Short mmCIF file of all heavy atoms in Angstrom, two decimals:
data_model
loop_
_atom_site.label_atom_id
_atom_site.label_comp_id
_atom_site.label_asym_id
_atom_site.label_seq_id
_atom_site.Cartn_x
_atom_site.Cartn_y
_atom_site.Cartn_z
N LEU A 228 52.18 105.44 119.56
CA LEU A 228 52.00 105.17 120.99
C LEU A 228 51.44 103.77 121.21
O LEU A 228 50.56 103.32 120.47
CB LEU A 228 51.06 106.21 121.61
CG LEU A 228 51.69 107.53 122.04
CD1 LEU A 228 50.59 108.54 122.36
CD2 LEU A 228 52.57 107.34 123.25
N THR A 229 51.92 103.10 122.25
CA THR A 229 51.43 101.78 122.65
C THR A 229 50.99 101.82 124.11
O THR A 229 51.19 102.81 124.81
CB THR A 229 52.53 100.71 122.45
OG1 THR A 229 53.72 101.15 123.11
CG2 THR A 229 52.84 100.50 120.98
N ARG A 230 50.39 100.71 124.57
CA ARG A 230 49.88 100.66 125.95
C ARG A 230 51.00 100.71 126.97
O ARG A 230 50.81 101.14 128.10
CB ARG A 230 49.05 99.37 126.14
CG ARG A 230 48.22 99.36 127.41
CD ARG A 230 47.31 98.13 127.41
NE ARG A 230 48.07 96.90 127.51
CZ ARG A 230 48.45 96.34 128.65
NH1 ARG A 230 48.14 96.91 129.81
NH2 ARG A 230 49.12 95.22 128.65
N VAL A 232 55.00 102.10 127.59
CA VAL A 232 56.07 102.99 127.13
C VAL A 232 57.21 102.94 128.14
O VAL A 232 57.01 102.61 129.30
CB VAL A 232 55.58 104.44 126.95
CG1 VAL A 232 54.56 104.55 125.83
CG2 VAL A 232 55.05 105.01 128.24
N ALA A 233 58.42 103.25 127.65
CA ALA A 233 59.59 103.31 128.51
C ALA A 233 60.13 104.74 128.50
O ALA A 233 60.08 105.42 127.46
CB ALA A 233 60.67 102.35 128.04
N MET A 234 60.66 105.17 129.65
CA MET A 234 61.10 106.56 129.80
C MET A 234 62.48 106.60 130.45
O MET A 234 62.79 105.77 131.31
CB MET A 234 60.10 107.34 130.65
CG MET A 234 60.47 108.81 130.86
SD MET A 234 59.25 109.73 131.81
CE MET A 234 59.42 108.97 133.41
N ASP A 235 63.28 107.59 130.04
CA ASP A 235 64.56 107.85 130.67
C ASP A 235 64.88 109.33 130.55
O ASP A 235 64.54 109.97 129.53
CB ASP A 235 65.68 107.03 130.04
CG ASP A 235 66.96 107.11 130.85
OD1 ASP A 235 67.03 106.48 131.92
OD2 ASP A 235 67.89 107.81 130.39
N CYS A 236 65.53 109.89 131.56
CA CYS A 236 65.87 111.30 131.60
C CYS A 236 67.37 111.47 131.83
O CYS A 236 68.00 110.65 132.49
CB CYS A 236 65.11 112.03 132.72
SG CYS A 236 63.33 111.97 132.54
N LEU A 250 66.37 118.84 135.17
CA LEU A 250 66.09 118.11 133.94
C LEU A 250 66.80 118.76 132.76
O LEU A 250 66.81 119.97 132.60
CB LEU A 250 64.58 118.09 133.70
CG LEU A 250 64.07 117.25 132.53
CD1 LEU A 250 64.35 115.78 132.77
CD2 LEU A 250 62.58 117.48 132.32
N VAL A 253 64.52 114.49 128.00
CA VAL A 253 63.52 113.44 128.25
C VAL A 253 63.33 112.64 126.96
O VAL A 253 63.18 113.23 125.88
CB VAL A 253 62.17 114.03 128.70
CG1 VAL A 253 61.23 112.90 129.12
CG2 VAL A 253 62.35 115.00 129.82
N SER A 254 63.33 111.30 127.09
CA SER A 254 63.14 110.42 125.93
C SER A 254 62.13 109.34 126.29
O SER A 254 62.18 108.76 127.38
CB SER A 254 64.45 109.77 125.49
OG SER A 254 65.41 110.75 125.16
N LEU A 255 61.21 109.07 125.34
CA LEU A 255 60.20 108.02 125.51
C LEU A 255 60.22 107.12 124.28
O LEU A 255 60.35 107.62 123.14
CB LEU A 255 58.79 108.63 125.66
CG LEU A 255 58.53 109.46 126.92
CD1 LEU A 255 57.26 110.27 126.76
CD2 LEU A 255 58.44 108.58 128.15
N ILE A 263 59.34 107.83 120.46
CA ILE A 263 58.11 108.60 120.23
C ILE A 263 58.20 110.02 120.80
O ILE A 263 57.35 110.87 120.48
CB ILE A 263 56.89 107.86 120.83
CG1 ILE A 263 57.11 107.59 122.32
CG2 ILE A 263 56.59 106.58 120.06
CD1 ILE A 263 55.93 106.97 123.04
N TYR A 264 59.21 110.27 121.63
CA TYR A 264 59.37 111.61 122.21
C TYR A 264 60.82 111.77 122.66
O TYR A 264 61.35 110.92 123.37
CB TYR A 264 58.42 111.78 123.41
CG TYR A 264 58.37 113.19 123.98
CD1 TYR A 264 57.48 114.12 123.49
CD2 TYR A 264 59.21 113.58 125.01
CE1 TYR A 264 57.42 115.41 124.01
CE2 TYR A 264 59.17 114.86 125.54
CZ TYR A 264 58.27 115.77 125.02
OH TYR A 264 58.21 117.04 125.54
N ASP A 265 61.45 112.89 122.25
CA ASP A 265 62.84 113.16 122.64
C ASP A 265 63.06 114.66 122.55
O ASP A 265 63.09 115.22 121.44
CB ASP A 265 63.81 112.41 121.72
CG ASP A 265 65.26 112.58 122.15
OD1 ASP A 265 65.50 112.83 123.35
OD2 ASP A 265 66.15 112.46 121.29
N LYS A 266 63.21 115.32 123.71
CA LYS A 266 63.37 116.77 123.73
C LYS A 266 64.40 117.18 124.78
O LYS A 266 64.47 116.58 125.85
CB LYS A 266 62.05 117.46 124.04
CG LYS A 266 61.12 117.56 122.84
CD LYS A 266 59.94 118.46 123.12
CE LYS A 266 59.05 118.57 121.88
NZ LYS A 266 57.90 119.45 122.13
N VAL A 268 65.70 120.16 127.37
CA VAL A 268 64.99 121.10 128.24
C VAL A 268 65.91 122.27 128.57
O VAL A 268 67.08 122.07 128.95
CB VAL A 268 64.52 120.41 129.53
CG1 VAL A 268 63.76 121.38 130.43
CG2 VAL A 268 63.66 119.20 129.20
N ASP A 294 60.89 124.72 127.12
CA ASP A 294 60.60 125.15 128.49
C ASP A 294 60.22 123.93 129.33
O ASP A 294 59.52 123.02 128.87
CB ASP A 294 59.47 126.18 128.49
CG ASP A 294 59.23 126.75 129.87
OD1 ASP A 294 60.19 127.17 130.53
OD2 ASP A 294 58.05 126.73 130.31
N VAL A 295 60.66 123.90 130.59
CA VAL A 295 60.46 122.73 131.44
C VAL A 295 58.98 122.49 131.71
O VAL A 295 58.53 121.33 131.80
CB VAL A 295 61.26 122.89 132.75
CG1 VAL A 295 60.75 124.05 133.59
CG2 VAL A 295 61.22 121.61 133.56
N ALA A 296 58.17 123.54 131.85
CA ALA A 296 56.73 123.37 132.10
C ALA A 296 56.04 122.72 130.92
O ALA A 296 55.18 121.83 131.08
CB ALA A 296 56.10 124.72 132.41
N THR A 297 56.43 123.13 129.70
CA THR A 297 55.84 122.53 128.49
C THR A 297 56.19 121.06 128.39
O THR A 297 55.33 120.21 128.08
CB THR A 297 56.34 123.29 127.24
OG1 THR A 297 56.10 124.69 127.40
CG2 THR A 297 55.66 122.80 125.99
N VAL A 298 57.46 120.73 128.64
CA VAL A 298 57.90 119.33 128.57
C VAL A 298 57.20 118.50 129.62
O VAL A 298 56.75 117.37 129.35
CB VAL A 298 59.44 119.27 128.74
CG1 VAL A 298 59.89 117.83 128.86
CG2 VAL A 298 60.14 119.93 127.57
N ARG A 299 57.04 119.03 130.82
CA ARG A 299 56.37 118.28 131.89
C ARG A 299 54.94 117.96 131.52
O ARG A 299 54.46 116.84 131.74
CB ARG A 299 56.41 119.10 133.17
CG ARG A 299 55.91 118.33 134.39
CD ARG A 299 55.89 119.18 135.63
NE ARG A 299 57.24 119.58 136.02
CZ ARG A 299 57.66 120.84 136.07
NH1 ARG A 299 56.85 121.84 135.73
NH2 ARG A 299 58.89 121.11 136.45
N LYS A 300 54.22 118.93 130.93
CA LYS A 300 52.80 118.70 130.55
C LYS A 300 52.70 117.66 129.43
O LYS A 300 51.84 116.78 129.46
CB LYS A 300 52.18 120.03 130.10
CG LYS A 300 50.68 119.93 129.82
CD LYS A 300 50.12 121.27 129.41
CE LYS A 300 48.62 121.17 129.15
NZ LYS A 300 48.25 120.19 128.13
N GLU A 301 53.58 117.77 128.42
CA GLU A 301 53.54 116.82 127.29
C GLU A 301 53.84 115.40 127.77
O GLU A 301 53.18 114.44 127.34
CB GLU A 301 54.55 117.26 126.23
CG GLU A 301 54.16 118.52 125.50
CD GLU A 301 55.24 119.04 124.56
OE1 GLU A 301 56.36 118.47 124.58
OE2 GLU A 301 54.98 120.01 123.82
N VAL A 302 54.81 115.24 128.64
CA VAL A 302 55.15 113.90 129.14
C VAL A 302 54.02 113.34 129.99
O VAL A 302 53.68 112.14 129.90
CB VAL A 302 56.48 113.96 129.94
CG1 VAL A 302 56.74 112.64 130.64
CG2 VAL A 302 57.64 114.30 129.02
N ALA A 303 53.41 114.17 130.82
CA ALA A 303 52.29 113.71 131.66
C ALA A 303 51.12 113.24 130.80
O ALA A 303 50.47 112.24 131.13
CB ALA A 303 51.85 114.84 132.59
N ASP A 304 50.85 113.94 129.69
CA ASP A 304 49.76 113.52 128.80
C ASP A 304 50.05 112.17 128.16
O ASP A 304 49.14 111.35 127.97
CB ASP A 304 49.54 114.58 127.71
CG ASP A 304 49.00 115.89 128.27
OD1 ASP A 304 48.43 115.86 129.40
OD2 ASP A 304 49.15 116.94 127.61
N ILE A 305 51.31 111.93 127.80
CA ILE A 305 51.67 110.65 127.17
C ILE A 305 51.58 109.51 128.19
O ILE A 305 51.08 108.41 127.87
CB ILE A 305 53.09 110.73 126.56
CG1 ILE A 305 53.12 111.71 125.40
CG2 ILE A 305 53.55 109.34 126.08
CD1 ILE A 305 54.52 112.02 124.88
N LEU A 306 52.03 109.74 129.41
CA LEU A 306 52.07 108.66 130.40
C LEU A 306 50.72 108.35 131.02
O LEU A 306 50.56 107.28 131.64
CB LEU A 306 53.04 109.04 131.54
CG LEU A 306 54.51 109.29 131.14
CD1 LEU A 306 55.32 109.58 132.40
CD2 LEU A 306 55.11 108.12 130.40
N HIS A 307 49.77 109.21 130.87
CA HIS A 307 48.47 109.03 131.53
C HIS A 307 47.80 107.73 131.07
O HIS A 307 47.56 107.51 129.88
CB HIS A 307 47.55 110.22 131.21
CG HIS A 307 46.22 110.13 131.87
ND1 HIS A 307 46.04 110.23 133.25
CD2 HIS A 307 44.97 109.91 131.36
CE1 HIS A 307 44.77 110.10 133.54
NE2 HIS A 307 44.08 109.90 132.40
N GLY A 308 47.50 106.86 132.05
CA GLY A 308 46.79 105.61 131.79
C GLY A 308 47.64 104.52 131.17
O GLY A 308 47.10 103.48 130.78
N ARG A 309 48.92 104.69 131.09
CA ARG A 309 49.79 103.69 130.45
C ARG A 309 50.76 103.09 131.47
O ARG A 309 51.07 103.70 132.49
CB ARG A 309 50.58 104.32 129.30
CG ARG A 309 49.74 104.66 128.10
CD ARG A 309 50.59 105.18 126.94
NE ARG A 309 49.81 105.26 125.72
CZ ARG A 309 49.03 106.27 125.39
NH1 ARG A 309 48.94 107.33 126.19
NH2 ARG A 309 48.34 106.25 124.27
N ILE A 310 51.26 101.89 131.14
CA ILE A 310 52.32 101.25 131.94
C ILE A 310 53.64 101.89 131.55
O ILE A 310 53.97 101.99 130.36
CB ILE A 310 52.35 99.73 131.70
CG1 ILE A 310 51.05 99.09 132.19
CG2 ILE A 310 53.55 99.10 132.38
CD1 ILE A 310 50.92 97.62 131.84
N VAL A 311 54.41 102.33 132.55
CA VAL A 311 55.68 103.02 132.31
C VAL A 311 56.82 102.12 132.78
O VAL A 311 56.84 101.67 133.93
CB VAL A 311 55.73 104.37 133.04
CG1 VAL A 311 57.03 105.10 132.70
CG2 VAL A 311 54.54 105.22 132.66
N ILE A 316 63.39 104.28 137.93
CA ILE A 316 62.52 105.30 137.34
C ILE A 316 62.01 106.32 138.35
O ILE A 316 61.51 107.39 137.98
CB ILE A 316 61.33 104.61 136.61
CG1 ILE A 316 60.70 105.58 135.60
CG2 ILE A 316 60.33 104.06 137.60
CD1 ILE A 316 59.75 104.90 134.65
N ASP A 319 63.60 109.61 137.71
CA ASP A 319 63.05 110.35 136.58
C ASP A 319 61.75 111.07 136.97
O ASP A 319 61.54 112.24 136.58
CB ASP A 319 62.81 109.40 135.40
CG ASP A 319 64.07 108.69 134.96
OD1 ASP A 319 65.15 109.31 135.03
OD2 ASP A 319 64.00 107.52 134.55
N PHE A 320 60.88 110.40 137.71
CA PHE A 320 59.65 111.04 138.16
C PHE A 320 59.95 112.20 139.11
O PHE A 320 59.27 113.24 139.10
CB PHE A 320 58.73 110.03 138.84
CG PHE A 320 57.99 109.14 137.87
CD1 PHE A 320 58.11 107.76 137.92
CD2 PHE A 320 57.16 109.68 136.91
CE1 PHE A 320 57.43 106.95 137.04
CE2 PHE A 320 56.47 108.88 136.01
CZ PHE A 320 56.61 107.51 136.07
N VAL A 322 62.69 114.21 139.16
CA VAL A 322 63.20 115.39 138.46
C VAL A 322 62.12 116.02 137.58
O VAL A 322 62.17 117.22 137.29
CB VAL A 322 64.46 115.03 137.66
CG1 VAL A 322 64.12 114.29 136.37
CG2 VAL A 322 65.30 116.25 137.36
N LEU A 323 61.14 115.22 137.14
CA LEU A 323 60.03 115.75 136.34
C LEU A 323 58.93 116.37 137.20
O LEU A 323 58.03 117.03 136.66
CB LEU A 323 59.41 114.63 135.49
CG LEU A 323 60.12 114.28 134.19
CD1 LEU A 323 59.62 112.94 133.66
CD2 LEU A 323 59.92 115.35 133.14
N LEU A 324 58.99 116.14 138.50
CA LEU A 324 57.95 116.59 139.43
C LEU A 324 56.60 116.02 139.05
O LEU A 324 55.57 116.70 139.02
CB LEU A 324 57.89 118.12 139.48
CG LEU A 324 59.20 118.84 139.89
CD1 LEU A 324 59.03 120.34 139.78
CD2 LEU A 324 59.62 118.44 141.28
N LEU A 325 56.61 114.71 138.70
CA LEU A 325 55.39 114.00 138.31
C LEU A 325 55.18 112.80 139.22
O LEU A 325 56.11 112.31 139.87
CB LEU A 325 55.48 113.51 136.86
CG LEU A 325 55.46 114.56 135.75
CD1 LEU A 325 55.65 113.91 134.40
CD2 LEU A 325 54.15 115.34 135.76
N ASP A 326 53.94 112.32 139.23
CA ASP A 326 53.58 111.14 140.00
C ASP A 326 52.85 110.18 139.07
O ASP A 326 52.21 110.60 138.09
CB ASP A 326 52.69 111.53 141.19
CG ASP A 326 52.60 110.40 142.21
OD1 ASP A 326 53.37 109.42 142.05
OD2 ASP A 326 51.78 110.49 143.13
N HIS A 327 52.92 108.89 139.39
CA HIS A 327 52.28 107.87 138.56
C HIS A 327 51.82 106.72 139.46
O HIS A 327 52.49 106.41 140.45
CB HIS A 327 53.25 107.36 137.49
CG HIS A 327 52.61 106.71 136.32
ND1 HIS A 327 51.90 107.41 135.38
CD2 HIS A 327 52.55 105.41 135.93
CE1 HIS A 327 51.45 106.59 134.46
NE2 HIS A 327 51.84 105.35 134.78
N PRO A 328 50.69 106.07 139.13
CA PRO A 328 50.22 104.95 139.97
C PRO A 328 51.27 103.85 140.07
O PRO A 328 51.88 103.45 139.07
CB PRO A 328 48.97 104.46 139.25
CG PRO A 328 48.51 105.61 138.43
CD PRO A 328 49.74 106.37 138.05
N LYS A 331 51.21 100.69 137.90
CA LYS A 331 51.50 100.83 136.48
C LYS A 331 52.96 101.22 136.23
O LYS A 331 53.30 101.73 135.17
CB LYS A 331 50.58 101.88 135.85
CG LYS A 331 49.14 101.41 135.78
CD LYS A 331 48.33 102.25 134.84
CE LYS A 331 46.94 101.62 134.68
NZ LYS A 331 46.11 102.35 133.72
#
Side-chain angles (χ1 to χ4, degrees):
L228 276 169
T229 52
R230 193 173 66 88
V232 294
M234 180 177 68
D235 190 75
C236 299
L250 186 65
V253 187
S254 301
L255 295 165
I263 56 175
Y264 187 89
D265 184 26
K266 281 190 178 181
V268 181
D294 186 50
V295 65
T297 307
V298 172
R299 188 183 295 118
K300 186 179 181 303
E301 290 173 354
V302 171
D304 292 340
I305 294 171
L306 300 183
H307 181 68
R309 289 185 169 84
I310 296 173
V311 183
I316 200 168
D319 301 326
F320 282 122
V322 77
L323 278 165
L324 302 175
L325 291 176
D326 195 9
H327 201 71
K331 291 196 173 183

